[in-house]
């Protein structure tokens, strides 16, 4: 069991398959991209599956989310999913993606055992998408989402980040569109995880701003804490139901007390929090032929030291040196 000193138990594992991405979102990385991890530094497919097996069979993990970077850039992703689906007990498996590669992979991922997907889409306007991502791939994302829905990777959840001066006015339109398409929409506050370290609290669109905008067109009724559990999104029932909308307010309404996540980077480091400044190296243990029991003990020790919160409200807070693309979402 992955338990910390505050009694929280981590059952949800986020696994970054690569730090690479085929978009250049302004809130994530610079236009020229980043210095990617060298291939020898990345976990191999076998190493990823081994760590997931240890997490599932020895440490009580029940959910696995594949992330990146852009996880669909990982050549062996379908095989990784298939091998993890064969584990006993079988974990629930999902994928967070920008959607560009879903049209060609959705059917294979479903057949391999993937349960559902989260797709990042911040705007319905192709021109704004191009400005935000520095790539002209808006239709590819829409096509990928439709392919995921048709393949049965449902519910398809849409993650949207609103930025001042770009798409801040789109919340009601995004929700109306998601309802029409049968997707579940979640807005995410912009977090201080950009490679440029340009994030500023006073320049972000907050959960309060988002809800105020949505209420200009919809009636929202809070679901309540019992329904939320350890989920990062607060959810509201839209116009009496059955549709809902979520808001992940990592900055203004942190949910650290209910956190049940542990994170594995593409180069084999355990992170106890998105905003952690410390990591525990599991890759070195794997490559020194350490037995599963040793790897599990390292992981448990790392989680035991998890801090009470993200530290975002502390005046001395410093962004992690590694950006979101390296950490995994």
């Amino acid at each position: 069991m992955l338990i910390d000193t505050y009694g929280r138990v981590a059952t949800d594992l986020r696994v970054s398959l690569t730090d690479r991405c085929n978009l250049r979102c302004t809130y994530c990385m610079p236009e020229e991209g980043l210095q990617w991890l060298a291939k020898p530094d990345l976990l191999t497919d076998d190493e990823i599956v081994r760590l997931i097996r240890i997490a599932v069979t020895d440490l009580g993990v029940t959910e696995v989310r594949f992330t990146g970077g852009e996880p669909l850039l990982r050549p062996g992703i379908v095989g990784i999913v298939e091998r993890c689906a064969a584990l006993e007990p079988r974990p629930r498996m999902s994928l967070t993606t920008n959607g560009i590669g879903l049209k060609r992979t959705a059917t294979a991922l479903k057949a391999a055992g993937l349960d559902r997907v989260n797709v990042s889409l911040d705007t319905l306007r192709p021109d704004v998408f191009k400005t935000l991502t520095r790539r002209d791939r808006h239709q590819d994302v829409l096509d990928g989402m439709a392919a995921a829905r048709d393949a049965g990777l449902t519910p398809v959840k849409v993650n949207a980040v609103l930025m001042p001066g770009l798409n801040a006015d789109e919340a009601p339109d995004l929700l109306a569109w998601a309802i029409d398409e049968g997707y579940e929409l979640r807005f995410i506050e912009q977090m201080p995880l950009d490679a440029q370290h340009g994030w500023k609290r006073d320049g972000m669109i907050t959960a309060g701003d988002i809800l105020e905008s949505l209420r200009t067109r919809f009636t929202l009724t809070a679901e309540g804490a019992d329904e939320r559990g350890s989920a990062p999104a607060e959810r509201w029932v839209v116009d009496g139901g059955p549709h809902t909308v979520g808001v992940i307010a990592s900055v203004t309404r942190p949910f650290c007390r209910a956190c049940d996540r542990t994170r594995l980077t593409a180069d084999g480091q355990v992170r106890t929090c998105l905003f952690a400044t410390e990591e525990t190296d599991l890759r070195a243990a794997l490559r020194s032929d350490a037995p599963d029991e040793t790897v599990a003990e390292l992981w448990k020790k790392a989680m035991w030291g998890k801090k009470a919160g993200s530290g975002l409200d502390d005046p001395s807070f410093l962004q992690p040196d590694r950006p979101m693309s390296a950490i995994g979402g």
Side-chain angles (χ1 to χ4, degrees), residues 198-248:
W199 177 90
K200 289 187 172 47
R201 182 185 290 265
D202 58 6
M204 60 177 283
I205 305 297
T206 68
D209 298 330
I210 295 165
L211 293 170
E212 182 179 358
S213 178
L214 291 174
R215 286 183 172 121
T216 63
R217 196 181 305 179
F218 303 96
T219 299
L220 304 181
T221 307
E223 270 197 340
D226 291 341
E227 288 82 1
R228 181 181 185 182
S230 61
E234 293 180 82
R235 296 205 308 176
W236 281 262
V237 177
V238 180
D239 291 343
H243 302 288
T244 62
V245 63
V247 179
I248 300 176

Side-chain angles (χ1 to χ4, degrees), residues 110 123 207 230 255 266 293 295 303:
K110 179 63 177 180
T123 177
S230 61
F255 39 87
E293 294 80 8
V295 176
M303 294 306 296

Side-chain angles (χ1 to χ4, degrees), residues 48-185:
I48 290 171
V49 174
R50 182 184 174 193
L51 287 173
I52 294 173
R53 176 177 55 76
I54 291 170
V56 170
T57 61
D58 298 340
L59 297 174
V61 164
T62 58
E63 296 192 29
V64 176
R65 173 85 62 85
F66 298 105
T67 69
E70 172 46 48
L72 294 182
L73 294 180
R74 178 90 186 198
I77 184 171
V78 173
I80 290 171
V81 170
E82 186 172 33
R83 291 168 68 183
C84 292
L87 294 173
E88 292 291 344
R90 182 198 186 281
R92 293 185 294 276
M93 292 184 293
S94 58
L95 172 80
T96 295
T97 171
N98 62 30
I100 289 174
L102 271 178
K103 185 175 181 179
R104 62 176 174 78
T105 58
T107 300
L109 287 167
K110 179 63 177 180
L114 192 70
D115 295 305
R116 63 170 192 82
V117 295
N118 285 35
V119 182
S120 298
L121 181 67
D122 303 321
T123 177
L124 298 176
R125 305 167 185 164
D127 59 325
V128 175
F129 181 92
K130 187 174 182 179
T131 299
L132 274 169
T133 67
R134 304 184 179 104
R135 298 290 186 272
D136 190 11
R137 306 297 298 271
H138 189 258
Q139 189 59 50
D140 293 327
V141 178
L142 296 180
D143 291 346
M145 294 169 69
R149 180 186 57 202
D150 294 345
L153 292 171
T154 55
V156 174
K157 295 185 178 180
V158 181
N159 297 336
V161 176
L162 299 182
M163 301 287 290
L166 287 171
N167 61 340
D169 61 332
E170 284 199 67
D173 289 340
L174 281 163
L175 180 53
W177 165 81
I179 289 172
D180 286 345
E181 295 292 333
Y183 302 140
E184 292 188 14
L185 178 64

Side-chain angles (χ1 to χ4, degrees), residues 245-281:
V245 63
V247 179
I248 300 176
S250 302
V251 177
T252 62
R253 303 181 187 180
F255 39 87
C256 302
R257 283 183 292 182
C259 181
D260 65 350
R261 283 165 290 289
T262 181
R263 300 174 184 276
L264 185 65
T265 67
D267 56 351
Q269 311 301 305
V270 167
R271 295 181 63 86
T272 60
C273 174
L274 269 177
F275 305 104
T277 54
E278 306 88 13
E279 298 177 337
T280 298
D281 187 1

